[in-house]
């Protein structure tokens, strides 16, 4: 089984009581390997029905581990049984904890899931980087014109990395707000090494947001957006048993 080699900055997490303070985001990298049965025991009937709809066994296994670990991690903050947690879903499908002030968001790509936990609205996106033939065409469709122009101004050798930075940063923001793809054009992000929002055209204020690089491994790009000024990330890894 392919094992993801996570960066050392993602410290091992042992389930137990944990709290996240304001201006902090906790990020969990979860390799989607291990025994699915150990994790599916926490899932709700609806989650099990969704898992069973995956025809490919590996997709079922990844769903069980990702959502099982999500419940275990959230239960550490809430001091509740993982199986007792209930979720509501926004108009574009964003899950939130029912009756709890804690915010979270989940992303998965290839053999890895990333989970963000915060006290403010948060979005996370992780993508396994792969060669893209029509990267500029995709950018023209999905990025703002400023982002598209910034990408084109780079030498070709730097475009793939800049593309993934832009993609994950945009997706993280849209996910923080629980929106869909229609919201991609109403803000600009920087494509450089240091993540930052450049402008909002949707009424949000730059001072209210933090954008963080939470890339967990050499070939995965990760970004987290949280509606909180000056937020810092603490990074953990949760290895399913
Ligand atoms: C659904 C969407 C929010 C994210 O999709 P994605 O990148 O394929 O998926 P991710 O793995 O990052 O996130 C999926 C998880 O986010 C959560 N989620 C679902 N809808 C969400 C929403 N509207 N907002 C925030 N989170 C959402 C769920 O927990 C979901 O996990 P699950 O499907 O296992 O329950 C949406 O933005 C989308 O369809 N994106 C397509 C990709 C794209 O074209 N991006 C352009 C970037 S420039």
């Amino acid at each position: 089984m392919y094992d993801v080699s996570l960066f050392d900055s993602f410290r091992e997490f042992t389930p137990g009581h944990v709290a996240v303070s304001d201006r902090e985001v906790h990020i969990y990298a979860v390799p989607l390997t291990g025994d699915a049965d150990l994790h599916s025991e926490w899932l709700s009937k609806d989650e099990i029905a969704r898992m069973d709809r995956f025809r490919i066994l590996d997709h079922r296994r990844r769903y069980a581990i990702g959502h099982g670990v999500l419940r275990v991690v959230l239960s550490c903050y809430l001091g509740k049984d993982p199986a007792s947690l209930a979720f509501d879903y926004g108009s574009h499908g964003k899950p939130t904890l029912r009756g709890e002030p804690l915010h979270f968001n989940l992303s998965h790509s290839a053999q890895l899931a990333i989970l963000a936990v915060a006290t403010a609205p948060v979005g996370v996106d992780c993508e396994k980087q792969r060669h893209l033939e029509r990267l500029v065409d995709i950018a023209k469709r999905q990025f703002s014109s400023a982002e598209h122009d910034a990408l084109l101004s780079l030498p070709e050798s730097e475009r793939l990395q800049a593309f993934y930075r832009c993609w994950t940063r945009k997706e993280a923001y849209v996910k923080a707000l629980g929106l869909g793809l229609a919201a991609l054009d109403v803000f600009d992000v920087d494509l450089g090494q240091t993540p930052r929002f450049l402008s909002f055209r949707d009424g949000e204020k730059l001072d209210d947001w933090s954008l963080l690089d939470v890339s967990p491994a050499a070939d995965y790009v990760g970004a987290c957006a949280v509606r909180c000024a000056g937020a810092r990330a603490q990074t953990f890894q949760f290895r399913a048993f």
Side-chain angles (χ1 to χ4, degrees), residues 89-125:
Y89 297 87
S91 52
H92 293 276
K94 181 174 182 172
T96 51
L97 277 161
R98 185 176 303 159
E100 304 284 355
L102 195 68
H103 293 260
F104 76 94
N105 196 229
L106 178 71
S107 180
H108 31 74
S109 182
Q111 294 299 332
L112 207 58
I114 292 274
L115 164 65
V117 182
T119 60
V122 65
V124 69
D125 188 49

Side-chain angles (χ1 to χ4, degrees), residues 50 63 67 92-95 105-108 124-127 142-143 167 170-171 174-175 178-179 181 184:
R50 206 177 147 202
Y63 180 90
H67 286 260
H92 293 276
K94 181 174 182 172
N105 196 229
L106 178 71
S107 180
H108 31 74
V124 69
D125 188 49
C126 180
E127 301 288 339
Q142 308 281 44
F143 295 179
W167 177 290
K170 289 188 81 66
E171 187 97 10
V174 166
K175 293 183 74 186
L179 300 174
L181 297 182
L184 285 173

Side-chain angles (χ1 to χ4, degrees), residues 50-69:
R50 206 177 147 202
M51 179 182 78
D52 287 342
R53 285 201 288 276
F54 289 110
R55 294 216 178 128
I56 299 170
L57 199 64
D58 191 48
H59 293 178
R60 291 167 56 124
R61 206 174 49 79
R62 287 193 292 161
Y63 180 90
I65 296 171
H67 286 260
V69 168

Side-chain angles (χ1 to χ4, degrees), residues 6 12 49-50 52 60 64 70 81 97 106 110 121 125 137 148 160 186 189 198 227 241:
L6 296 167
E12 202 139 324
R50 206 177 147 202
D52 287 342
R60 291 167 56 124
L70 169 70
D81 187 273
L97 277 161
L106 178 71
D125 188 49
D137 290 346
H148 172 255
L160 187 68
V186 296
V189 297
L198 295 176
R227 197 196 257 144
F241 19 87

